[in-house]
Amino acid sequence: MTEFPEGARIVRHGAVDSTSERAFAELAVGNARHMDVHVATEQTHGRGRHGRVWRSPAGEGLYASFVLLPERPWNGAALTIALGLAALDAVSALGLTRAALKWPNDVVVDGAKLAGVLAETRDLDPRRPAYVAGVGIDVRQTMFPAELVAERPVTSLALCGIAASVEDVLRALVRAVAERTARIESDIGTLERDFLRAAGLERGRVRAEVAAGPILGTLIAFAVESGLRIRTDAGMESRFALEHVRALTSIE
Ligand code: BTN
């Protein structure tokens, strides 16, 4: 186990099912601390959002799961945004300044996915809230399997010209997660503003996908507490809680 300056305890694994499963297992037996970070060289059952598989070949990517134990429960959208920004900050700190965020928290480069975040909680006890934030970042891949590329465009730091090691990425990510999650309670406005900028949603028209279908219009407000407000092209105002927004893109 290594200690990082941010107070993070790095729990290193070889090949595991999923670093998030390892984090939940330590939580279940009462061994977990805030900012424990489970890192593996390889995952055999890496999990993505919406039940997808997160491909996790040995030594190619960063597979890290953070245990987060705040004093009070966090707003889910705030955690989602903070983690996406942390992943973006980490790759930016390594020199990749043209990456962006795609709702809710994919890191993309020219539309190709570089990193993803899966924030989870199980049997949340509001008196002792516990979250596991899993972050996967493609680092050294120079090729991807055809079936993955057929599903969606993907990239890696190496393919973007950034010659970082997995350990470099881990260090940058730990710093960024500590900084961004600290703002969830103290400075949500910065997270909201930085998210809009990182996702290219600061001005102009947007397209939001919600259960009822796509909504096109001008973004009037974006806030963790009050949600999304859009003036539709038909001149109506629509409001949605952020957890009901499936996709959100600029259409300028
Ligand atoms: C996504 O679908 O975009 C989220 C991907 C999250 C992958 C990471 S890798 C570390 C952690 N362990 C998992 O099984 N998943 C997350």
Side-chain angles (χ1 to χ4, degrees):
M1 205 170 315
T2 333
E3 293 268 352
F4 277 13
E6 296 78 9
R9 218 167 45 161
I10 313 299
V11 186
R12 294 180 189 272
H13 304 271
V16 289
D17 47 357
S18 154
T19 51
S20 293
E21 287 308 317
R22 295 307 95 224
F24 275 118
E26 291 303 301
L27 271 169
V29 295
N31 277 344
R33 259 180 24 187
H34 181 66
M35 284 297 282
D36 276 356
V37 188
H38 290 258
V39 185
T41 54
E42 176 182 358
Q43 297 184 117
T44 53
H45 292 79
R47 293 187 282 110
R49 294 173 54 245
H50 306 303
R52 294 202 187 97
V53 169
W54 186 260
R55 285 193 66 264
S56 313
E60 301 278 276
L62 173 66
Y63 319 117
S65 293
F66 291 75
V67 174
L68 300 170
L69 303 174
E71 289 190 354
R72 284 176 296 284
W74 279 336
N75 176 298
L79 179 58
T80 298
I81 291 169
L83 292 169
L85 284 166
L88 182 68
D89 289 349
V91 299
S92 303
L94 294 166
L96 183 59
T97 50
R98 63 199 172 92
L101 281 182
K102 181 175 167 212
W103 179 263
N105 53 17
D106 285 354
V107 179
V108 293
V109 181
D110 299 330
K113 182 156 170 170
L114 171 70
V117 179
L118 178 67
E120 299 174 285
T121 185
R122 291 183 184 166
D123 306 321
L124 184 74
D125 176 353
R127 289 163 308 166
R128 279 191 299 165
Y131 304 88
V132 171
V135 184
I137 302 181
D138 289 335
V139 179
R140 290 161 47 95
Q141 292 91 334
T142 50
M143 285 175 62
F144 289 94
E147 65 271 19
L148 178 61
V149 179
E151 228 174 78
R152 61 174 187 229
V154 281
T155 192
S156 68
L157 287 174
L159 287 170
C160 294
I162 305 293
S165 68
V166 173
E167 189 67 20
D168 292 335
V169 184
L170 172 65
R171 286 189 181 270
L173 182 67
V174 168
R175 189 171 314 129
V177 168
E179 284 174 9
R180 289 296 187 175
T181 55
R183 291 185 187 271
I184 291 176
E185 285 171 32
S186 66
D187 187 11
I188 194 69
T190 295
L191 295 180
E192 291 163 344
R193 272 192 303 280
D194 288 356
F195 174 80
L196 286 179
R197 189 175 318 124
L201 293 166
E202 274 173 306
R203 61 186 70 85
R205 294 177 72 240
V206 297
R207 182 181 197 277
E209 271 175 42
V210 293
I215 309 281
L216 275 70
T218 306
L219 187 65
I220 305 170
F222 173 94
V224 157
E225 286 298 335
S226 55
L228 190 67
R229 280 170 56 205
I230 294 176
R231 175 146 3 260
T232 69
D233 291 347
M236 312 269 288
E237 188 177 311
S238 291
R239 292 172 181 242
F240 308 95
L242 292 183
E243 53 269 35
H244 295 145
V245 177
R246 295 175 183 166
L248 180 62
T249 47
S250 164
I251 49 171
E252 283 267 280

